[in-house]
Amino acid sequence: MPEGTRIAAVDAVPERGSYLFSVEDAFTNEREAILVPCEDEPGVEAWLNNCPHEDQRFDRGDGAAMRDGEIICPKHGSLFDACEGDCGNGPAAGSSLRPVEVAVADGDVFLVDDGYTYLKDGGLDDDEGPSSTSHLSF
């Protein structure tokens, strides 16, 4: 069993999409990350949930757009290899996604990156909606 925090079952990662989770970096910055399917072993890879060309989220809560093993930037259409993180087209050409190290054991994905601490499933803005103590109703 890897030394790390369990994120999810490998089966929870969609075949054409992503699994969104949140982490904290060594400077206590909260970040979003995604697990995506990859043809190479161990079958998934994890990346920070941002295009390196512009601060654009790939997964906004409903999965990252993917095609033929590539993550599609929703703003400019640049394509990033899901296994390697490299981009060869569009405005982000020549850049690479920022990796988050994971390991797979017994069908589960574990966060094993010393630079990040697992916070929760889902994105940073995922909550149960605004809370209010107001007595007004509409």
Side-chain angles (χ1 to χ4, degrees), residues 51-52 58 69-71 73 78-82 85-87 92 95-97:
C51 178
F58 295 117
E70 294 179 309
I71 304 165
C73 176
S78 293
L79 303 172
F80 294 86
D81 184 281
D86 300 328
C87 180
S95 66
S96 294
L97 299 177

Side-chain angles (χ1 to χ4, degrees), residues 11-111:
D11 292 345
V13 180
E15 287 183 33
R16 291 188 183 131
S18 60
Y19 184 92
L20 181 63
F21 64 103
S22 298
V23 295
E24 184 177 82
D25 68 20
F27 303 102
T28 68
N29 298 308
E30 294 181 350
R31 308 291 304 266
E32 290 181 349
I34 54 174
L35 291 171
V36 293
C38 173
E39 291 181 6
D40 299 342
E41 288 297 323
V44 295
E45 285 294 333
W47 308 101
L48 289 182
N49 188 31
N50 292 89
C51 178
H53 165 249
E54 230 176 74
D55 190 23
Q56 182 69 40
R57 295 167 63 205
F58 295 117
D59 185 335
R60 297 177 181 160
D62 55 356
M66 293 188 68
R67 182 179 62 222
D68 299 328
E70 294 179 309
I71 304 165
I72 304 168
C73 176
K75 186 162 187 177
H76 295 111
S78 293
L79 303 172
F80 294 86
D81 184 281
C83 299
E84 300 295 323
D86 300 328
C87 180
N89 76 315
S95 66
S96 294
L97 299 177
R98 291 171 295 275
V100 176
E101 190 176 347
V102 294
V104 173
D106 299 324
D108 289 325
V109 183
F110 294 84
L111 176 64

